[in-house]
Amino acid sequence: MAISTEIVGKEFGPFVREYTFKDLEICALGCNAGFDGQTDLVYVNEKDAANPDLKVLPIFGVPLTVHEEMTRTLDYGYDYEGSLHYGFEIRLHAPFKMNDRVETFVTQDALYDRGEGRGCLSKQTGRSYSSDGTLLCETETWDVCIYDGGWGGPKPPKDIVEMPERAPDAVVAETMPLNMPLIYRLMGDWHQQHIDFAYTEQTGLARPIAHGVSLGGFAMRHIISSFFPGEPERMTRFKTRITSPVLPGGALETRMWKVGDNEIRFQLVDADADETGAKPHLNFGICEWD
């Protein structure tokens, strides 16, 4: 199929998600909360199932937009087999309840041509509303469809995030378990590259890869614990590029640089990577809080 730009500017939805505290906990577990039975239990200990009270990891807002139903619905003629998550940004406006019915409306903002062999770059923005009409969050998400470049579309804009050239102000290391993608899949990203060994072997990878959003949540936990511990509700913005795949089972570290009173830059890299030559898995990261 040819790339169809007729989709640009159109809004789709609502995409509806009814959730309870269990879904909040699944999302947090899919970002490795509680990996040792005690770290970040605030995201997975509801205390009383009849009257749950836990902290919400803000990454929960991203899968309200980034899920397979949305990806399949916004079909502009791309090859799904070559679809990879390129990056995302979430702006948080109101807290998530312990249970709710959320409606998300997604606009196809743009389609860009990176060139033959480099893919088509797609930008969408989702706006998620609680059952009482409150705007909870806005999520800008980018996908690159690697088999669909060279169709003659506009070139993508520059998006430059300056990263400090000095030692990080905080570093948190943590090993990603082999089954983390199997947990995060339950948030609605069912792509076979996260579970099927035969599928990923065709792409030259040794095993299925982690989801980009769960990597974001993995790093997000480290940022919260380092700069505003116990208060995830203070987060207002989180942005990152997904720059290389992660094979579960290895040790990763989040490297963080403070650039303002309530702002950091961050990367997620292999824990044994040299600071000057590390190839980040997440890069050009920004986090802000109030």
Side-chain angles (χ1 to χ4, degrees), residues 39-40 43 172 219-230 256:
T39 299
D40 287 340
Y43 303 119
V172 177
M220 182 183 284
R221 292 177 31 248
H222 300 162
I223 293 166
I224 293 168
S225 65
S226 298
F227 292 95
F228 43 107
M256 298 161 271

Side-chain angles (χ1 to χ4, degrees), residues 238-276:
F238 184 92
K239 175 180 179 178
T240 190
R241 274 273 314 281
I242 303 158
T243 49
S244 66
V246 170
L247 301 183
L252 304 171
E253 64 182 31
T254 305
R255 296 175 180 173
M256 298 161 271
W257 294 264
K258 195 167 185 182
V259 296
D261 290 341
N262 294 71
E263 181 178 351
I264 66 156
R265 302 282 190 269
F266 69 91
Q267 296 176 331
L268 183 70
V269 302
D270 293 326
D272 59 358
D274 179 84
E275 284 194 12
T276 59

Side-chain angles (χ1 to χ4, degrees), residues 59-203:
I59 202 73
F60 181 75
V62 179
L64 297 176
T65 292
V66 182
H67 52 78
E68 182 153 335
E69 182 187 4
M70 184 278 287
T71 303
R72 295 286 196 179
T73 301
L74 277 67
D75 184 358
Y76 46 88
Y78 67 94
D79 185 338
Y80 181 75
E81 297 297 312
S83 176
L84 296 170
H85 203 177
Y86 185 82
F88 63 91
E89 175 177 357
I90 183 170
R91 292 182 181 268
L92 298 136
H93 301 295
F96 295 100
K97 301 174 184 177
M98 291 295 96
N99 61 81
D100 203 355
R101 181 183 188 276
V102 176
E103 293 189 349
T104 300
F105 298 85
V106 180
T107 300
Q108 179 70 50
D109 295 316
L111 293 169
Y112 300 107
D113 189 354
R114 301 178 74 208
E116 186 69 35
R118 301 191 66 229
C120 173
L121 189 61
S122 172
K123 176 190 175 187
Q124 305 93 20
T125 298
R127 297 167 183 84
S128 298
Y129 297 86
S130 66
S131 55
D132 62 7
T134 300
L135 177 61
L136 297 168
C137 60
E138 296 173 279
T139 300
E140 179 181 293
T141 180
W142 296 76
D143 297 299
V144 61
C145 301
I146 58 176
Y147 301 137
D148 296 297
W151 52 277
K155 301 304 178 187
K158 298 290 186 182
D159 182 16
I160 299 173
V161 176
E162 298 292 344
M163 300 298 293
E165 296 183 0
R166 56 179 171 83
D169 298 300
V171 176
V172 177
E174 185 175 313
T175 298
M176 176 182 292
L178 294 171
N179 67 342
M180 197 172 98
L182 307 187
I183 300 171
Y184 184 80
R185 291 181 80 243
L186 301 177
M187 295 308 298
D189 185 343
W190 309 109
H191 201 296
Q192 289 298 293
Q193 65 188 335
H194 304 298
I195 192 170
D196 188 336
F197 276 73
Y199 184 97
T200 53
E201 283 173 1
Q202 299 175 53
T203 66

